[in-house]
Amino acid sequence: VLSLCCEACKKVIFHVPSELEADTLVGRVDLNECLQSAEFISSSDGNFKVLEDGSVYTTSALSLSAEKKTFTILLKDIQEQVQKKIHVSLVEEAKKTPKTRHARDTVLKRTKRRWGPIPSVMIENSLGPFPLQIQQVQSDTAQNYTIYYSASGPGIDQDPKGLFYIERETGNIFATRAVDREQYPSFQIICFATTPDGYSPEVPLVHTIRIEDDNDNAPYFTQDLFEFCVPENSRPGVVVGKVIAEDRDEPYTLHTTLKYRIVSQTPPITPAFSLHGDTGVISVLLPQLDRELVPSYTLLVEVRDMAGQPFGLCTTGTVVIKIEDTNDNAPSFKQLQYETRVEENRVSVEILRVSVVDLDEPGSPGSGAVYEIIRGNDDQAFEITTDKNTNEGILCVVKGLDYETAKQRILVIGVNNEAPYVLAPHSQQLSQSTCSVTVHVLDVDEGPVFKPCLLRLDVKECEDIGTAIGRFVAEDPETGNSEGIRYRIPPGQCNWINIDDKSGEVRTVRVLDRDIGEMRRGQCNVTVLAIDRNGKTGTGTIQVCIVPGNKNFPRIMQTDYIMCRDRKPICLTAEDSDEAPYSAPFVYRITDRRLASMWKLTPHDDNSWYLSPKSDIPYGIYEIPVTVTDNGGKIGENTIRVNLCDCLTPTECDGRSRQLSGGNVTLGLWAILAMILGSLLLLLILITICGCCGAGVMHRQVTDDCANHNLIISNTEAPGEEVMDHNIIPLQNTCDQGGYGVKTGEQQTFEMVKGRGHTLESVKGGGHQTLGSVKEGGGQTMMDTCRYSYSEWHNFTHPRLGEKVHLCRQDEEQKHSEDYLLSYNYEGKGSLAGSVGCCSDQHEEEALDFLDQLEPKFRTLAETCIKR
C-alpha cells in the first residue's frame, strides 16, 4: 500500500484494495499537523470512522464501485472556534503481479508470529547503561516491504514522557532511565507498523512493559506506638494485642514476607510476653503478672522482610503494655478497736470515721471500700457510708438513742471492695477484715414522749358535742410517769376535738358529719403537744376518723297509689342515705291495728315490701301508717294513701274526687283557668239545649242531594267520586243505603236509626253538633232533648283538615292524598260483622244489642246521651 504525501489540511490519498472488510485499517492521518487541539473528529462518510490517533477504519464491508472514492475528515476546536478539513481519497491499487502477490499475501497471513511478542520486563531501579534495550517488535511483512515502526502511550508521548522510544527501522524498544515500580508498576504502549505510503498491514499492537520489583522499601509499622492492656494474673497464652507492619514492595514476594521479633523488654526482668513471628500477635508468657510489682512493660519490636533473613530490610517499633488492676488485695482496717460518744436522742450526726488499707489501684473498684455493720445494729439506729474522696467509713446515728434503755452500744463493722475479690495464683483465701466500735450514750434531759406517737380514734358521725372519744398521754423518760405533764393542741388545725390539759382526755367540739364541708374526707390529723415542768416538749399525733353512723331515717319514696278491682299488691320501696350497716335491709310494719287487720305487708327484697288487702274490703281511700326500721334500728314513719277503686286501670280513677284531710287548699293559676273555661262551656251547652227545646222538633228525610254535600257513605267499599268542596273531607267511599237526618233551626244533628245501621252527619251551622237516638216508626222520629256539644272538637280539627285538603288539591299527581285517601274494593255481601257505613238507608233490620254489653265508662256515656 502506498501513501502519497500532500499538503496538510488539503488532501490525503490512500491506495487500497477494491474490496475492504469491516473494521479494516485504511491508513493513518497525522491530525496534529493540521490541528493539534482537535476536540471533535468526524467523517463525512458513515462507512469510515476516524480515531483520535488519526487511524481510519471501515465500519462495514465496502467495495469500490468507482475508481476513486472521496470523503472529508472534519476537525473542530470548540474553545478556539477553529475548524479544519482534510480531504481523503481512496484509490484502487494496481495489481502488477497478481499471482505472486496473492501467494505472498497467503504466506503472510499464516506466519504472523513476530508481531505479538511476550510482555517486556524491566528491572526496577536499573543502573543501565541507558538507553537500555528491553524488547523488539517486528512485522513479517518487512521481508517484502519497507516497514516503519512507531509507538504511543504512557512513557512515550504520555506521562512520564520520553521514558521509552522505538527505533523506526528496527522496532527495538529502549528505556532512557530507571523506573520506580511503586510509582509505575507497568506500561501499556501501542505499536504501529506502516509502509512509507501510510498503509498499515498490521493491526496496532498493545504491548505491556512490566517493571520487575526490587527490594528497595523497608517494612514499616502502621503506628508509631502500640498500647495494649492486660489484667494482672492473666494465664500464659492470653492474647494481649497485635502489631501490624506493611511493605510497599510487590505483594506475595519475599520482598514483602515479614517476620516479627521482640528486641528488648523494659524493665529488663524475666520476659513476660511473646511475639508471634508471622502474625505479630503478642501473648502473655509469664504466669504471674503483678500490677503492684510492675504496673507496665515497654517492648522494642522489630519487623524484617525477606522472611527475616539477615540481608532483609528491617524497622523497629515500640509497644507499651499496661497491667490492669484486679481486686487481688483485700482491704484491712488500720485499727481493730474504736470508741466514741454521742448524746441520746441526737439524730443524723456523724460520730466516727474508720479507715482501711488496700494495695490495689486507688480509685478503682478493686480499692473502693464498702462498709457494713455486721452486729449490734438490730434497731437500725446506726448507718455507715463511704467517703469517695478519702475511702473512709463514716458512722452516723440515724435514730435517737435512749440512755435509759442502753447506756452503751457495741458495733462490729466489716469492709469489702466494690469489685469482687479475685484470688491470685498460688495464694490462700482471706477472711473479711472487721473492727469493733464502742458507742457510749450520754444522758440528757428529755422532753415527754407519747406512747404511741400516733393514736387513731374512731368517732361515729353525729355524736353529741363533748363526747369523750379517748385519752392521749405522754410520759417523762426520766421518771417513767405522766406527772406534771400538760397537753394542748396548737392552733391552725381542724377544729374537731380538744384535749384536757391535765388528763389528756379527748372530746369532740363539733358534731361530726361526713356530709359537711371539710368532713367529707372523713379523717383529720391533729398534732398534740406535751410539756413537762422544765418546759421540754414532746409531740404526738391523733388521727380522728369519722365512722359512718345511723343519722338518717328510712323513708318510702312514693306514698300515693291507686289499686283497681284486681287488687294487685303495691310495691313499697324505701331509701336511707346512711351507709352500711345502717341502711338496708328494712323492716316494714303497719302501726294502726284496725288497718293492720285489713291490710298486710310481705317482704320482697332488702329495700321493698308488698302491700295488699287481706280480704275483700270496700272501695274507698285508705290512709295507712307504715313504719320502716333500718338495720341500725332507726324508725321512719310514713303514711301510705291507697285509693281502692272499682276500675280496670288506674287511669280511670285519676279524675275522681278523693277524700282529703282537713287543711287549707290553694288553687293554682291553671286550676282557676280550667274552672272558668268549664263554666263557660256548661253555659254554652245550656243555651243550646234551651234553644232546641223551644224551637220544636222538625224532621224530614234527607235527600240524596243533601247527603252528597253532608253525608259520606262508606258502607260499600267501592271507589267514589272526587269531592271538590274545600270544607268537606274528600273520602272516596260510596253508600248503598239511605239515612235520615233531622235539622232544627241552625243546628244539624247526628241520628242513630235502629235497624238501619249508624249514620254520622257533619254539618256546619251554629257551631254545635249533637248525638241522639232515633227510633224508626212510620217516618216519625223521636229526638232526645239532651244533646252533647262538639264545638271544641270542631274548632280544633276544622282548620287542620282544611290544610290537608288544600295540600291534596295542589298536588296534581295526588301524592299527598295517598297518606289519608285510600281506595277500597267491593268485598261482597253477607259479612258477619255487619255494615260499617255511617249513612246507611238500607231497610234491613240490625239490632243495637251490643250497646248493652259496653264497659262501665261507655255505659255512663250512653246513659247521658240516650233517653230511656
Side-chain angles (χ1 to χ4, degrees), residues 496-747:
W496 292 8
I497 60 173
N498 62 8
I499 188 169
D500 188 88
D501 61 344
K502 295 180 180 180
S503 64
E505 186 178 37
V506 181
R507 294 179 178 272
T508 60
V509 296
R510 296 175 60 185
V511 176
L512 304 184
D513 190 346
R514 292 168 61 91
D515 297 333
I516 299 176
E518 62 179 5
M519 301 182 187
R520 296 182 186 276
R521 295 179 300 172
Q523 178 179 317
C524 179
N525 294 336
V526 180
T527 301
V528 180
L529 298 180
I531 307 171
D532 62 9
R533 293 188 181 93
N534 299 325
K536 298 288 185 178
T537 61
T539 59
T541 303
I542 298 176
Q543 187 179 72
V544 183
C545 297
I546 303 176
V547 179
N550 195 11
K551 65 177 182 179
N552 296 301
F553 296 93
R555 62 187 183 90
I556 298 176
M557 303 305 297
Q558 182 179 350
T559 58
D560 289 353
Y561 296 93
I562 298 176
M563 182 179 288
C564 291
R565 64 179 64 170
D566 56 1
R567 301 176 186 269
K568 184 178 180 180
I570 298 171
C571 184
L572 304 179
T573 302
E575 288 186 357
D576 194 331
S577 300
D578 295 325
E579 298 180 3
Y582 301 109
S583 56
F586 302 123
V587 177
Y588 293 70
R589 190 172 68 88
I590 300 175
T591 57
D592 188 279
R593 292 184 178 181
R594 183 181 65 83
L595 293 175
S597 63
M598 302 171 63
W599 298 83
K600 64 178 180 180
L601 290 168
T602 55
H604 172 54
D605 54 26
D606 290 347
N607 297 323
S608 304
W609 285 46
Y610 286 120
L611 174 66
S612 60
K614 289 184 177 180
S615 59
D616 190 8
I617 61 178
Y619 293 110
I621 297 177
Y622 295 86
E623 293 185 355
I624 306 168
V626 177
T627 61
V628 182
T629 306
D630 60 18
N631 197 35
K634 205 144 193 174
I635 301 174
E637 296 181 356
N638 305 268
T639 299
I640 307 302
R641 183 176 289 105
V642 180
N643 183 5
L644 184 59
C645 180
D646 183 13
C647 61
L648 294 178
T649 60
T651 56
E652 297 180 9
C653 292
D654 286 346
R656 298 187 182 182
S657 61
R658 297 185 181 181
Q659 298 179 4
L660 300 175
S661 59
N664 295 329
V665 178
T666 302
L667 295 179
L669 177 63
W670 291 107
I672 296 173
L673 184 61
M675 293 176 62
I676 295 174
L677 293 177
S679 300
L680 293 177
L681 180 62
L682 180 61
L683 180 62
L684 202 61
I685 293 174
L686 292 176
I687 294 174
T688 304
I689 294 174
C690 293
C692 294
C693 294
V697 178
M698 174 180 171
H699 65 273
R700 63 182 176 87
Q701 185 173 355
V702 182
T703 63
D704 291 343
D705 294 335
C706 182
N708 289 337
H709 289 282
N710 301 296
L711 299 180
I712 306 302
I713 303 172
S714 61
N715 62 336
T716 300
E717 299 178 355
E721 63 183 6
E722 181 179 0
V723 179
M724 302 302 296
D725 192 343
H726 291 194
N727 298 324
I728 303 299
I729 301 175
L731 300 177
Q732 298 179 357
N733 294 330
T734 58
C735 182
D736 59 353
Q737 295 181 356
Y740 294 91
V742 177
K743 183 173 183 180
T744 304
E746 292 298 323
Q747 301 183 27

Side-chain angles (χ1 to χ4, degrees), residues 327 329-333 356-360 366-370 391 415-417 421 431-434:
N327 190 21
N329 295 281
S332 60
F333 285 99
V356 295
V357 177
D358 197 323
L359 299 178
D360 291 320
S367 65
V370 178
N391 209 31
V415 64
N416 290 307
N417 289 125
Y421 179 73
S431 60
Q432 184 183 23
S433 178
T434 60

Side-chain angles (χ1 to χ4, degrees), residues 14 72 254 355 471 475 571 602 617 665-666 786:
F14 293 110
T72 303
L254 279 176
S355 58
R471 294 181 72 246
E475 294 181 357
C571 184
T602 55
I617 61 178
V665 178
T666 302
C786 298

